[in-house]
Amino acid sequence: MKYALYLICLLLVSQSVSAQLFSKEKILNQENFDKQRLTWGFFLGYNSYDFKFEYEQDLPDILVERTGGFNVGLISDLRINDYINLRFEPGLIITQRNLQYDPLYFQGQDFNDSDLLREVKSTYIHFPLLVKFSTKRINNFKPFIVGGFSTALNLSSNQDNPEDNSGNEFRTKKNMLFYELGFGIDFYLYWFKFTPSIRGVFALNDELIRDVDPNSPWTGNVQSMQTRGVFINFTFQ
């Protein structure tokens, strides 16, 4: 369903974008859009999340299988000047990562195949505060870069669950901090502004909740576990 949505979005703008980039027409759409002090919008998107691990001992890496997720949220954009905007983009992010452990982590212990796999489901309420740096508008498009910081509340963290991996519960922290960097292009269409963008998110804090057993095969060798991911967002304003 989400891939069909992305395809529809691309088809909606392809004809207009083609005319703006490759024709000599210079009719400006939404000519006064960037003169507004405050604008609003929403976004839909796709995400792919990963974990970056640091280890205590030299054992095989924990393999991370990434699965695609979904983003949706709102946008408020404050114009600072012709080239700088301050943006707040609260949203809901749903994703999943599967961790595959090597049997060496369980050396000397009894284990089965299910112990080698942990599913980490995450539902983030995401609050990014970003600064957008744009070029001068060229006909009906305007490239930009964006960066800033964000915090997120993970509703699926299991942080307060008294069970740990010995009870088949992989736990992560509720509250996360990130820095974000990305780029995109604003396309000024006849009725609205459409913006495809790509953004990377990188955690600043360790997300892992350790098991009670300090020698746990799932958490004992992990020095830090930090989220990193990529967003592909489609914005409508």
Side-chain angles (χ1 to χ4, degrees):
M1 181 67 184
K2 61 190 175 190
Y3 297 108
L5 177 62
Y6 301 152
L7 181 59
I8 291 170
C9 292
L10 290 173
L11 289 175
L12 284 173
V13 300
S14 61
Q15 184 175 1
S16 176
V17 168
S18 177
Q20 292 162 16
L21 293 177
F22 303 111
S23 76
K24 296 181 180 180
E25 296 179 6
K26 297 187 180 299
I27 298 174
L28 294 182
N29 297 322
Q30 301 288 322
E31 187 172 359
N32 296 318
F33 188 96
D34 291 336
K35 296 179 182 179
Q36 301 176 76
R37 186 68 171 173
L38 187 63
T39 56
W40 308 88
F42 67 94
F43 66 86
L44 302 170
Y46 168 87
N47 68 66
S48 178
Y49 271 84
D50 192 3
F51 283 122
K52 177 184 177 183
F53 284 98
E54 297 290 341
Y55 300 99
E56 298 286 354
Q57 302 176 29
D58 187 18
L59 290 173
D61 289 350
I62 300 170
L63 302 180
V64 183
E65 179 190 355
R66 293 174 286 182
T67 61
F70 183 72
N71 315 328
V72 62
L74 302 174
I75 293 172
S76 60
D77 185 293
L78 177 65
R79 177 181 179 272
I80 305 300
N81 58 38
D82 289 342
Y83 304 102
I84 301 176
N85 294 64
L86 185 65
R87 295 170 71 89
F88 181 54
E89 301 184 0
L92 175 68
I93 298 170
I94 299 173
T95 192
Q96 178 176 327
R97 288 151 285 186
N98 299 324
L99 306 183
Q100 185 69 46
Y101 287 82
D102 191 277
L104 284 177
Y105 280 82
F106 298 85
Q107 194 167 22
Q109 304 180 38
D110 293 330
F111 67 93
N112 53 47
D113 288 345
S114 64
D115 291 325
L116 300 177
L117 178 66
R118 284 293 180 264
E119 295 181 351
V120 185
K121 297 180 180 179
S122 301
T123 303
Y124 294 109
I125 306 296
H126 190 228
F127 302 99
L129 186 62
L130 307 169
V131 181
K132 176 182 175 183
F133 301 92
S134 303
T135 67
K136 184 178 180 180
R137 177 172 172 172
I138 305 169
N139 199 3
N140 282 321
F141 69 96
K142 183 166 65 173
F144 65 87
I145 59 173
V146 65
F149 294 92
S150 60
T151 183
L153 176 65
N154 187 357
L155 302 180
S156 305
S157 72
N158 289 320
Q159 178 175 312
D160 299 324
N161 194 327
E163 297 288 339
D164 60 17
N165 279 287
S166 60
N168 204 34
E169 291 291 342
F170 190 93
R171 300 177 298 173
T172 57
K173 294 178 181 177
K174 283 184 179 179
N175 299 305
M176 295 297 300
L177 295 173
F178 302 92
Y179 71 90
E180 306 191 14
L181 297 170
F183 64 93
I185 302 177
D186 290 329
F187 292 103
Y188 298 82
L189 307 183
Y190 187 78
W191 294 108
F192 57 89
K193 184 172 76 170
F194 172 77
T195 305
S197 64
I198 298 176
R199 195 158 79 237
V201 294
F202 308 92
L204 293 169
N205 57 323
D206 181 12
E207 192 167 353
L208 182 65
I209 299 288
R210 270 72 182 176
D211 293 340
V212 174
D213 179 5
N215 298 314
S216 164
W218 296 280
T219 64
N221 192 43
V222 178
Q223 187 178 93
S224 69
M225 183 184 79
Q226 295 178 297
T227 285
R228 55 189 179 184
V230 175
F231 295 164
I232 300 176
N233 282 343
F234 300 100
T235 300
F236 303 83
Q237 289 179 268

